[in-house]
Amino acid sequence: AAGGIARFVGRSPAAALPTLDDFFGFLFSPDLNPPISNKVHQDMSAPISHYYVFTGHNSYLTGNQLNSDSSDVPIIAALQNGVRVIELDMWPNSAKNCVDILHGGTLTAPVEIMRCLKSIKEYAFCASTYPLVITLEDHLTADLQAKVAGMITETFGDLLYVPSSDTLNEFPSPEALMRRIIISTKPPQEYREFLKAQGDQKISGNADKLAEEGNLRRIDSNADDSDGKDEPDDEDDEESEEEDPKFQPDTACEYRKLITIHAGKPKGRMRDALKVDPDKVRRLSLSETQLGKATASHGADIIRFTQRNILRIYPKGTRINSSNYDPMKAWTHGAQMVAFNMQGHDKSLRLMQGFFRANGGCGYVKKPDFLLKTGPNGEVFDPKASLPVKKTLKVKVYMGDGWRMDFSKTHFDAFSPPDFYARVRVS
């Protein structure tokens, strides 16, 4: 068959006319007639917030969310498949002197953080040279945060991107961060920032008041980024930094400096959480449940937020079997990081994998212009609006291939090959 295809596409005179099998071979050859371009062809010089990014959820789990093992093996598999956002949940080990990666509050077995970091370094750019984001769910004391900072810096070396300032006015572009690793997590020193903001003003009041005003959290600091807890926005029983006797403002300074994409979760009203700060950009995380509620009442605010900032969506906590959700609602509202469990084979995951075959499979797909534009009066795209049809696409499938890999031509019928039902979906 290969020789037949060569005759069909070659410039030299062919000894014989191409056969029908030659033509079919050409049609189904991924090299000669690829269905999707295998090269990056989109503009990659815009801020990262202008792109959908191939994002994993609890990337270290080998199976379900409750009692499967934690390992670097699924991390390696995700990177080989082009995933560009890897998530690590950091917890103190049993001796409290180092860091394990596991899904907190479950029976999942831990894996040492260094094993994960070394595997990430080795496979980070095996499928794509565009930036790799590591989202850290941080459950560490300040001394362990400092230890993690040392591990990250030593392991990644020059691959690690360290921002020049504490906060960014605009995210760098994927093109500017080629072959670089960037860190995203919640900054650990809100208490120190709160003191700075107050200047010389004397701070008084109890720890609860400080926690409310300064957003002083450490323990479970990034919980709703990924553990699936759908707690009310205005409810939080975490300890404040002031109450923690181990809190030392300068200990985790090096850890904080490594954070390029500052993360957080919604506090209070959703409209307030989605406010756009003209002076800095950040990442906000919502569960799929929170997203559904937010899009019903704050759709325009979400789209306006995602024009400059990053929105991360993660599976709800009841998806213990590592299933996934329909990503379309998140995508149509501009959410860049739609976090998926990569362990299974569900329909939503196949849709996600197919979507990120676009743009050469580099893990970054440019958002459509209508999600990035703002009208003269501040209006943005409305996903619920009934718009006129601009173009009607009709697809007729003449033939398919692949069934013979699993079935013989007479597997079901002694006289003819099997007839398969096919569904074509354009998203």
Side-chain angles (χ1 to χ4, degrees):
I5 296 173
R7 291 199 314 274
F8 184 59
V9 298
R11 294 179 178 273
S12 58
L17 291 174
T19 65
L20 187 60
D21 283 341
D22 291 337
F23 179 63
F24 289 165
F26 168 76
L27 286 181
F28 291 116
S29 169
D31 295 322
L32 299 174
N33 187 36
I36 300 176
S37 172
N38 58 1
K39 294 182 180 180
V40 175
H41 58 85
Q42 296 178 343
D43 173 27
M44 303 300 285
S45 62
I48 285 179
S49 54
H50 288 203
Y51 300 83
Y52 299 115
V53 190
F54 201 1
T55 302
H57 171 256
N58 287 354
S59 306
Y60 49 86
L61 289 181
T62 56
N64 67 60
Q65 306 286 307
L66 186 61
N67 61 1
S68 64
D69 290 337
S70 301
S71 170
D72 62 332
V73 173
I75 294 174
I76 294 171
L79 292 171
Q80 290 174 328
N81 289 327
V83 172
R84 294 289 83 197
V85 183
I86 295 294
E87 181 186 24
L88 301 177
D89 292 12
M90 305 187 302
W91 292 85
N93 65 358
S94 56
K96 309 296 182 186
N97 61 358
C98 202
V99 177
D100 280 340
I101 304 300
L102 73 153
H103 193 198
T106 68
L107 301 175
T108 52
V111 59
E112 291 181 355
I113 187 173
M114 274 305 300
R115 183 171 177 178
C116 295
L117 295 180
K118 287 179 180 178
S119 294
I120 288 174
K121 179 184 180 181
E122 183 176 353
Y123 292 90
F125 305 106
C126 65
S128 171
T129 56
Y130 285 92
L132 175 69
V133 181
I134 302 177
T135 59
L136 300 175
E137 184 182 311
D138 180 2
H139 305 271
L140 304 178
T141 53
D143 57 326
L144 288 179
Q145 288 173 345
K147 196 164 189 174
V148 167
M151 292 177 182
I152 290 175
T153 304
E154 183 178 345
T155 303
F156 297 139
D158 293 338
L159 294 177
L160 183 65
Y161 175 78
V162 180
S164 56
S165 60
D166 187 56
T167 56
L168 299 174
N169 177 262
E170 186 177 69
F171 289 119
S173 69
E175 188 175 76
L177 295 176
M178 294 274 281
R179 301 191 68 87
R180 302 299 291 273
I181 294 173
I182 60 181
I183 303 299
S184 177
T185 187
K186 183 175 179 179
Q189 298 186 45
E190 282 79 4
Y191 179 56
R192 184 178 173 190
E193 286 188 344
F194 177 67
L195 293 178
K196 282 184 178 179
Q198 299 303 308
D200 294 331
Q201 181 181 347
K202 185 177 181 181
I203 302 171
S204 61
N206 57 33
D208 290 338
K209 181 180 178 182
L210 287 176
E212 180 182 354
E213 294 177 5
N215 190 18
L216 322 177
R217 274 96 180 172
R218 174 185 51 77
I219 297 180
D220 204 18
S221 62
N222 211 13
D224 83 330
D225 275 2
S226 55
D227 68 359
K229 296 174 185 174
D230 293 332
E231 69 271 20
D233 296 338
D234 58 352
E235 187 176 303
D236 200 317
D237 58 358
E238 298 160 351
E239 295 179 39
S240 73
E241 300 284 14
E242 188 187 60
E243 292 178 303
D244 182 1
K246 294 182 180 179
F247 176 65
Q248 302 170 15
D250 294 322
T251 304
C253 186
E254 293 305 312
Y255 175 81
R256 181 186 182 88
K257 287 179 181 177
L258 302 181
I259 303 172
T260 297
I261 303 176
H262 288 214
K265 58 183 181 178
K267 302 293 180 185
R269 297 189 309 166
M270 183 60 68
R271 187 179 298 276
D272 294 334
L274 293 168
K275 279 186 177 178
V276 176
D277 189 329
D279 298 321
K280 62 181 179 180
V281 289
R282 57 194 172 94
R283 189 195 94 202
L284 181 70
S285 289
L286 300 175
S287 70
E288 59 174 291
T289 307
Q290 289 172 317
L291 175 71
K293 295 176 182 177
T295 54
S297 53
H298 302 291
D301 293 324
I302 294 175
I303 292 176
R304 197 172 287 109
F305 178 84
T306 57
Q307 290 179 343
R308 277 177 41 82
N309 300 280
I310 290 176
L311 182 61
R312 182 177 188 271
I313 310 301
Y314 59 91
K316 59 186 178 182
T318 54
R319 295 189 180 276
I320 295 173
N321 62 348
S322 295
S323 63
N324 290 297
Y325 50 98
D326 186 347
M328 292 307 298
K329 184 183 290 289
W331 283 338
T332 55
H333 284 83
Q336 297 89 344
M337 296 183 179
V338 183
F340 262 36
N341 296 309
M342 300 293 171
Q343 306 94 325
H345 304 280
D346 56 80
K347 180 179 178 181
S348 296
L349 181 58
R350 292 197 300 272
L351 174 60
M352 175 71 65
Q353 292 167 335
F355 181 83
F356 280 102
R357 286 188 65 188
N359 201 23
C362 74
Y364 287 81
V365 175
K366 192 81 156 52
K367 294 199 292 186
D369 289 341
F370 61 77
L371 285 175
L372 302 171
K373 291 180 178 178
T374 304
N377 299 317
E379 63 271 18
V380 294
F381 172 71
D382 181 5
K384 297 179 181 178
S386 179
L387 302 174
V389 176
K390 289 187 176 181
K391 184 177 291 187
T392 300
L393 177 65
K394 292 184 178 180
V395 178
K396 182 177 285 189
V397 179
Y398 286 97
M399 64 180 295
D401 191 32
W403 56 265
R404 62 170 178 257
M405 298 175 185
D406 295 313
F407 303 98
S408 65
K409 286 189 176 182
T410 56
H411 187 88
F412 297 107
D413 189 315
F415 303 100
S416 63
D419 297 321
F420 284 93
Y421 169 76
R423 174 181 290 174
V424 177
R425 174 174 177 175
V426 179
S427 300

